[in-house]
Amino acid sequence: MNYYNAHSKLWVSVDCIVFGFDENRLKVLIGRRQMDPGRGEWSLYGGFVGEDESLDDAASRVLYSLTGLRNRYMRQIGAYGNVNRDPGDRVVSVAYYAFISVNDYDNKLLQKHNVEWVDINDMPQMYSDHNTMVDDALQIIRRKISTAPIGFNLLPSLFTLTQLQKLYEAILNTELDKRNFRKRIKEMDFIEKTELKDKLSSKRGAFYYRFNKKAYTEDSNFKL
């Protein structure tokens, strides 16, 4: 027995905002929409939720389809359900943001899915409310990065403190004092200094750092 026959139905989709970090810039993976309505418009990558899928499972499936990567840092932003947000039908979309390392991403997938990395400061006008989704995700990340150790998937496994500072500056869209930043970073037990050095960026070489097993544990005392 169907208890809800008297009620109208709607579609539920997920949209993934995939952030990457390259050339000291925060970037988002977007592409040209390959279906109607809105064919050819810039768009996030998404998909409809299957009848036997949870929202998180659907988002993970969409992210894997786009990137070929599993177990990435991914969080839900919220639901977008304006009545006329999608000219195709009544669609409610639940947006997620994810972090991936650009170096981990197979460039062949860029061509397969017709997507590209776009600087967060140069975002084009996108389909429906996708620009709003990106703006909302960015605001959440900017608030959270000052209180929780997130964003580590945007960096290679070994990184210098300069790379880490550039990442924070790209996300926060502001310059940080080098001395204060390094002092605070070195107080964090989830960031380990290694004996390896990056000898390409300077004659003396900069030590590489890495995240330990506590990298993804939120620390209420973490604040820049």
Side-chain angles (χ1 to χ4, degrees), residues 92-128:
V92 172
S93 181
V94 180
Y96 287 75
Y97 70 87
F99 296 147
I100 71 171
S101 170
V102 173
N103 294 330
D104 292 340
Y105 189 72
D106 187 346
N107 284 333
K108 293 180 181 178
L109 292 174
L110 291 174
Q111 298 177 354
K112 177 181 177 181
H113 296 296
N114 193 30
V115 295
E116 60 185 80
W117 291 107
V118 176
D119 192 308
I120 193 66
N121 295 314
D122 298 321
M123 295 294 294
Q125 183 60 44
M126 292 192 291
Y127 178 76
S128 185

Side-chain angles (χ1 to χ4, degrees), residues 103-165:
N103 294 330
D104 292 340
Y105 189 72
D106 187 346
N107 284 333
K108 293 180 181 178
L109 292 174
L110 291 174
Q111 298 177 354
K112 177 181 177 181
H113 296 296
N114 193 30
V115 295
E116 60 185 80
W117 291 107
V118 176
D119 192 308
I120 193 66
N121 295 314
D122 298 321
M123 295 294 294
Q125 183 60 44
M126 292 192 291
Y127 178 76
S128 185
D129 48 12
H130 289 189
N131 287 85
T132 300
M133 293 179 181
V134 174
D135 290 341
D136 290 348
L138 190 57
Q139 292 306 312
I140 291 172
I141 292 167
R142 284 174 174 169
R143 291 195 300 269
K144 194 167 186 178
I145 200 171
S146 295
T147 58
I150 66 172
F152 302 153
N153 278 326
L154 295 171
L155 292 171
S157 57
L158 295 175
F159 53 87
T160 65
L161 291 184
T162 296
Q163 288 177 301
L164 184 61
Q165 181 171 340

Side-chain angles (χ1 to χ4, degrees), residues 42-110:
W42 287 107
S43 173
L44 297 171
Y45 195 83
F48 288 103
V49 180
E51 290 186 1
D52 299 323
E53 280 186 313
S54 69
L55 290 172
D56 289 352
D57 287 344
S60 295
R61 170 179 55 80
V62 169
L63 182 65
Y64 177 73
S65 174
L66 175 62
T67 67
L69 301 172
R70 298 188 187 276
N71 301 319
R72 301 293 100 175
Y73 182 94
M74 175 180 273
R75 293 292 185 272
Q76 185 184 122
I77 300 171
Y80 295 78
N82 287 342
V83 175
N84 298 318
R85 64 172 299 276
D86 193 314
D89 209 329
R90 181 75 171 94
V91 180
V92 172
S93 181
V94 180
Y96 287 75
Y97 70 87
F99 296 147
I100 71 171
S101 170
V102 173
N103 294 330
D104 292 340
Y105 189 72
D106 187 346
N107 284 333
K108 293 180 181 178
L109 292 174
L110 291 174

Side-chain angles (χ1 to χ4, degrees), residues 158-163 182 192-199 201-202 204-210:
L158 295 175
F159 53 87
T160 65
L161 291 184
T162 296
Q163 288 177 301
R182 295 193 172 203
E192 298 177 333
K193 182 178 181 181
T194 74
E195 298 302 318
L196 303 174
K197 282 189 174 184
D198 170 21
K199 297 184 179 180
S201 58
S202 66
R204 295 179 58 188
F207 280 104
Y208 278 118
Y209 288 73
R210 64 188 173 200

